[in-house]
Amino acid sequence: MEKWIEECERSLCMSTNQRGGFDAYLAALAPKDCGGQCTAIWPAGALAYRCRTCQLTTSSAVCVSCFKAGGHEDHDWIQYRSTSGGCCDCGDPAAWRVEGCCPAHQPDRQVVPLEQLLRPEPRMLLEAVLEAALARLSECLDQCTGSQCSADRRRDALLLCRWLQRFASLGPVRRSMSDALRRALHEQQLQEEGQAIAGDLQRSLEFLRETTSVMQE
């Protein structure tokens, strides 16, 4: 899976003539004025912040960068070490007060469309890569539902999740990810419906054969 991800990253960078590597490619898709929710994800053991002045739920929290830029110095805040990981709520009006959001994630700031950041060909490539990654992740998860899931499959699923999270943290890319996921779910639904219809037809044919056999007797 690592090799496949590396090939995807190389292709994406080449599509935009990005010579600074994959990190630079992602940075170009996250302009500082893009707006939208932060959604930075931190693992267990990472530092994060809660602000009783700004949070709207007991579980709301923000990452270190958003906290430092959000003007919380005189607020009722705490720094804590996450025990199970979390996701930044900066920019989410359902979880964090607008006044406490950092300048980069103001909820009323419109997200820059991906069409303004990428030409058609690189954008189509990105959408194809996201769709392929989601399909591979779905395949890994399907094979990890039972007790016989291999360690390699678990590792592949984790790698894909972490890689896709990097895209999900970019406001302009989230729409493409949701579209790719919706298409994948639609195709899966069509496949399941097709299998159900095929099963009904098979049962109908068996019934007809049995009925014909009885009538001939």
Side-chain angles (χ1 to χ4, degrees), residues 136-207:
R136 284 175 175 257
L137 177 59
S138 177
E139 181 182 352
C140 289
L141 294 176
D142 285 342
Q143 296 180 9
C144 284
T145 54
S147 58
Q148 298 180 351
C149 177
S150 66
D152 289 340
R153 276 303 183 187
R154 288 195 182 94
R155 184 174 57 84
D156 288 346
L158 184 59
L159 282 173
L160 283 169
C161 282
R162 289 176 174 172
W163 193 59
L164 287 169
Q165 283 172 357
R166 301 189 68 184
F167 291 101
S169 65
L170 308 175
V173 184
R174 288 186 204 123
R175 179 179 176 182
S176 294
M177 289 195 68
S178 63
D179 289 343
L181 182 58
R182 185 165 55 250
R183 285 193 297 270
L185 292 174
H186 180 63
E187 291 176 1
Q188 182 179 3
Q189 181 181 5
L190 290 177
Q191 183 178 6
E192 292 174 352
E193 291 177 353
Q195 291 174 349
I197 293 173
D200 290 340
L201 288 174
Q202 181 65 28
R203 286 188 291 271
S204 298
L205 289 173
E206 291 176 356
F207 175 76

Side-chain angles (χ1 to χ4, degrees), residues 74-96:
D74 298 327
H75 293 181
D76 181 11
W77 58 270
I78 60 169
Q79 182 190 69
Y80 73 100
R81 192 170 295 278
S82 179
T83 57
S84 58
C87 176
C88 184
D89 291 310
C90 185
D92 181 1
W96 207 257

Side-chain angles (χ1 to χ4, degrees), residues 31-83:
K32 294 182 179 180
D33 60 346
C34 69
Q37 185 180 346
C38 174
T39 68
I41 296 174
W42 56 80
L47 292 176
Y49 288 85
R50 299 193 194 279
C51 177
R52 297 184 183 90
T53 308
C54 298
Q55 66 189 60
L56 298 178
T57 70
T58 56
S59 60
S60 299
V62 293
C63 66
V64 175
S65 298
C66 289
F67 177 83
K68 291 182 176 180
H72 301 278
E73 292 82 1
D74 298 327
H75 293 181
D76 181 11
W77 58 270
I78 60 169
Q79 182 190 69
Y80 73 100
R81 192 170 295 278
S82 179
T83 57

